[in-house]
Amino acid sequence: MIDSHCHIDLYKNPSEIVSGIVSRGMFVVSVTTTPLAWRGTHALASKSKSIVTALGMHPQLVASRAADIEQFEHYLPQTNWVGEIGLDGTPDYVDSMPTQIDVFRRILKASRQAGGRIHSIHSRAATRLVMDILRNEADIGVPILHWFSGTQRELNEAIDLGCWFSVGEPMLRSRKGWELTQKMPLSRILTESDGPFVQKQGQPARPWDVESAEKLLSGMWSETHDITRNRLASNLRRLREKFIQTDVQW
Ligand code: MN
């Protein structure tokens, strides 16, 4: 199983989550929300061969922490994975949009200069802006749009731009999310939990809860759960082949 967007460092007991991942043989992208969390979060997974730590600067935190971009640039050579980054245009965060845009652009520029990275990108209420910036920033590596919530038209643009998509259970259980996912190329989809922010039965969703998303996708694609799981694993393999020198085995 694959969880391509999980905040392991934000669970009450991260080492329990790491053990659960390892015992199930999962592959997990452990995203962070600030470069200041990079070292500690990376250390959490240091013994695991199937957890990669992504360097992040969450758009909801950028308003007060734009200067952390220097730390971001400092740590970037240490990882092939970047996230969570992006833009958030919801009312609580829209005031910081100019700063968010500056920081997002600077991150993508750093990725390009470093030879390209795999990015987990947040675009809530800002799909249009994210698309416009991605279109103008070539050779950044791979953008994965996490929990995409734009229009069908924006989805088509994202597909043309070479974006990948990470989808989770709450997205697949909403009508809009389901219909968007139906239009995504099967070869560019990965599963995600977005735990612990997402709740499942009153508890923070855990990485292995992506099994529910796999089952929903297998229903969407009218194939067995095994075939869907293999398809997702081969998607991940193809994604990582772009970064042969990558950090872990899975
Ligand atoms: Mn997230």
Side-chain angles (χ1 to χ4, degrees):
M1 284 190 289
I2 298 160
D3 184 353
S4 57
H5 185 112
C6 180
H7 299 263
I8 296 178
D9 61 341
L10 301 182
Y11 286 89
K12 263 194 213 123
N13 190 343
S15 58
E16 208 175 274
I17 297 293
V18 169
S19 310
I21 292 166
V22 171
S23 69
R24 288 168 179 83
M26 290 187 68
F27 180 87
V28 175
V29 181
S30 167
V31 295
T32 54
T33 54
T34 157
L36 306 182
W38 163 259
R39 288 174 67 163
T41 309
H42 188 252
L44 280 176
S46 58
K47 288 189 196 126
S48 164
K49 294 215 184 304
S50 64
I51 301 174
V52 290
T53 310
L55 178 61
M57 255 183 102
H58 198 288
Q60 294 178 348
L61 299 181
V62 157
S64 55
R65 302 193 185 192
D68 294 348
I69 185 73
E70 290 185 13
Q71 293 295 309
F72 182 96
E73 290 168 344
H74 172 76
Y75 290 119
L76 186 61
Q78 299 183 27
T79 180
N80 292 315
W81 300 81
V82 167
E84 180 166 0
I85 59 165
L87 301 177
D88 191 306
T90 56
D92 285 349
Y93 305 102
V94 73
D95 288 350
S96 67
M97 190 54 78
T99 314
Q100 292 186 43
I101 289 172
D102 282 350
V103 167
F104 186 42
R105 283 211 179 107
R106 195 157 157 190
I107 287 171
L108 297 177
K109 196 162 292 170
S111 282
R112 176 171 58 246
Q113 284 166 354
R117 291 292 185 267
I118 304 172
H119 309 79
S120 187
I121 301 177
H122 174 113
S123 56
R124 207 165 88 187
T127 317
R128 164 63 31 221
L129 284 166
V130 167
M131 293 294 110
D132 289 346
I133 290 172
L134 289 176
R135 187 176 304 102
N136 288 310
E137 301 287 343
D139 302 324
I140 59 158
V142 182
I144 305 176
L145 299 179
H146 134 70
W147 204 329
F148 180 84
S149 58
T151 62
Q152 292 279 351
R153 185 180 166 165
E154 286 162 344
L155 174 64
N156 290 333
E157 288 182 49
I159 293 168
D160 290 344
L161 284 168
C163 293
W164 286 54
F165 303 91
S166 60
V167 304
E169 185 179 359
M171 175 171 171
L172 290 165
R173 289 202 186 280
S174 82
R175 187 190 162 135
K176 181 181 173 186
W178 177 267
E179 288 174 354
L180 286 166
T181 307
Q182 282 181 312
K183 302 268 170 61
M184 292 171 184
L186 274 59
S187 59
R188 288 196 230 154
I189 293 179
L190 298 171
T191 43
E192 68 169 28
S193 71
D194 202 11
F197 292 115
V198 162
Q199 298 279 308
K200 188 169 169 78
Q201 284 146 8
Q203 297 290 323
R206 297 153 306 172
W208 43 95
D209 290 324
V210 296
E211 187 165 25
S212 307
E214 290 181 342
K215 287 180 182 162
L216 289 163
L217 287 170
S218 80
M220 175 181 290
W221 298 335
S222 307
E223 60 189 21
T224 65
H225 187 176
D226 275 354
I227 290 177
T228 298
R229 188 174 277 186
N230 289 337
R231 182 191 296 287
L232 295 164
S234 97
N235 286 352
L236 176 70
R237 230 171 0 255
R238 236 181 324 103
L239 177 67
R240 295 173 72 206
E241 274 164 12
K242 298 173 190 286
F243 297 87
I244 291 298
Q245 77 288 14
T246 197
D247 17 30
V248 298
Q249 304 292 314
W250 189 68

